[in-house]
Amino acid sequence: MPIQVLIPDDYQLATTSLNFLQSNDKYSCVSVGDLSKTPHIENQLATAQALILIRERTVIDDAFLRRTPNLKLISQTGKLARNVDIDACTRAGVAIVEGIGSPVAPAELTWLLIMASRRKLISSVEAMKKGLWQTEMGSAVNNQLIGILGYGKIGKKIANYAQAFGMRIQIWGSERAQEEARAVGLHVPENREQFFSTSDIITVHQRLVAQTEGNITLSDLSKMKGDALFVNTSRAELVSDGALYEALRQGRPGYAALDVYEQEPVYDTDNPFLHMPNVLCTPHLGYVEKAGYELYFKAAFENVVRFFEGDTTHVINL
């Protein structure tokens, strides 16, 4: 019998088009959609020997592991995040391996949101469909000041894009981020308050860890300009609970573009951000891109094969 590999919460069943997942007869890779909406999923979970997780969509805890008695391995696409309880997996005898990621797709999506928001693209397109013409007056990003919160792989790509578009750039974040920014000649403001109050656009590119959870507060956001744009394609939990909605309601910042939410997927059409005309919402598309999926899942599947062939050197919870 082939080893049963399950890919849960593949909302689009996009991984069914990745031929390399079916290239090895020793492994049967099955993609399923939203686990909460998939019939007979308990049978598939009960026989699964390995899971390939799509980033942070699936929460793995004691309760989940009780549904997967034959599970031996969790292969994470990209770096491991808080969706996986490492201690619970270790207690259950389930090994965990990490994959690789790429900053390209999320950085491009971030830039798309910035440009679409600044030029008011979506509302202009929708107005034209209603027979209206030139209903919006957008603004160019040239010479605007972009504040990049976090200066890792994605933040550095955003800085490169901003330079190409003639923007002024400033960086805030950890000491490491600030030092690296200074080393390449980028501006680091004197303090956090100055970063938020002077930026025309702020885009967030921090990792979600204990030190960064909720670190963007209502006080921070309220210091932004009335016509400023706040962009978050990283993690919703980086912003303290309710702070962004309240800040937008108060008019500072004036605009937001969001690709991440505290509860995903978002099926509730009453989500307040969806009804704010100054907010552009996308359904967590940052890493959902063809070349990126091929990169992520090829590495994740190769990690599965390595493990079941007896190589455990990549297991992080030995």
Side-chain angles (χ1 to χ4, degrees):
M1 289 288 291
I3 292 168
Q4 301 299 304
V5 182
L6 195 67
I7 305 173
D9 289 321
D10 181 359
Y11 305 138
Q12 301 166 297
L13 297 180
T15 55
T16 58
S17 66
L18 301 177
N19 294 332
F20 55 80
L21 292 175
Q22 311 301 330
S23 63
N24 192 325
D25 292 339
K26 295 180 180 179
Y27 300 87
S28 173
C29 294
V30 177
S31 305
V32 296
D34 187 337
L35 289 185
S36 67
K37 296 178 178 293
T38 303
H40 312 299
I41 190 58
E42 296 303 326
N43 294 333
Q44 291 175 296
L45 290 174
T47 58
Q49 295 166 274
L51 300 178
I52 297 179
L53 301 186
I54 304 179
R55 299 298 297 268
E56 301 167 29
R57 293 182 184 180
T58 308
V59 176
I60 307 297
D61 54 15
D62 283 312
F64 185 94
L65 292 168
R66 285 193 289 271
R67 302 162 68 190
T68 55
N70 290 297
L71 190 64
K72 302 292 189 296
L73 177 70
I74 290 174
S75 181
Q76 176 75 50
T77 57
K79 293 299 181 182
L80 196 67
R82 300 192 309 172
N83 60 304
V84 177
D85 186 331
I86 298 176
D87 292 338
C89 291
T90 304
R91 288 193 299 270
V94 177
I96 304 170
V97 294
E98 290 183 310
I100 59 175
S102 168
V104 173
E108 288 189 1
L109 191 278
T110 301
W111 198 254
L112 174 63
L113 290 180
I114 290 172
M115 296 300 296
S117 296
R118 270 301 184 235
R119 295 304 296 267
K120 301 185 179 179
L121 179 67
I122 305 302
S123 55
S124 295
V125 169
E126 292 303 315
M128 190 175 176
K129 290 179 181 179
K130 298 174 182 177
L132 304 175
W133 187 255
Q134 292 187 356
T135 57
E136 301 277 10
M137 178 68 76
S139 59
V141 298
N142 180 67
N143 203 41
Q144 289 198 341
L145 178 59
I146 186 170
I148 303 173
L149 182 58
Y151 192 59
K153 292 179 180 179
I154 298 175
K156 289 172 182 176
K157 278 200 167 291
I158 295 299
N160 290 337
Y161 298 163
Q163 287 175 329
F165 277 77
M167 299 190 75
R168 295 174 292 126
I169 303 166
Q170 62 181 2
I171 306 295
W172 194 253
S174 65
E175 290 185 10
R176 189 273 312 161
Q178 295 181 43
E179 289 173 3
E180 290 189 11
R182 290 190 186 98
V184 295
L186 295 178
H187 176 64
V188 176
E190 293 182 5
N191 52 54
R192 186 180 182 92
E193 179 178 351
Q194 188 180 91
F195 174 81
F196 277 91
S197 64
T198 59
S199 296
D200 296 302
I201 299 168
I202 286 179
T203 179
V204 181
H205 302 288
Q206 293 179 309
R207 289 197 67 185
L208 179 60
V209 294
Q211 293 84 352
T212 59
E213 183 173 4
N215 82 112
I216 303 169
T217 66
L218 177 59
S219 177
D220 291 327
L221 296 169
S222 297
K223 292 179 175 64
M224 294 180 69
K225 300 177 181 179
D227 60 351
L229 169 67
F230 179 81
V231 183
N232 190 357
T233 60
S234 186
R235 297 291 181 272
E237 293 85 355
L238 293 167
V239 183
S240 60
D241 188 31
L244 180 57
Y245 177 77
E246 182 60 25
L248 288 165
R249 196 183 66 81
Q250 294 178 9
R252 289 179 179 271
Y255 304 91
L258 307 174
D259 190 47
V260 290
Y261 312 89
E262 291 183 2
Q263 299 295 327
E264 296 184 12
V266 178
Y267 295 125
D268 183 6
T269 56
D270 290 330
N271 184 295
F273 289 123
L274 298 178
H275 297 277
M276 301 183 84
N278 55 339
V279 179
L280 174 58
C281 295
T282 51
H284 207 156
L285 297 176
Y287 63 93
V288 181
E289 182 270 332
K290 188 175 185 297
Y293 260 40
E294 290 177 351
L295 176 71
Y296 301 151
F297 282 94
K298 193 171 192 302
F301 182 59
E302 288 173 351
N303 281 338
V304 171
V305 174
R306 283 177 60 189
F307 177 82
F308 284 101
E309 289 182 349
D311 180 0
T312 59
T313 57
H314 55 325
V315 173
I316 67 171
N317 62 331
L318 283 173

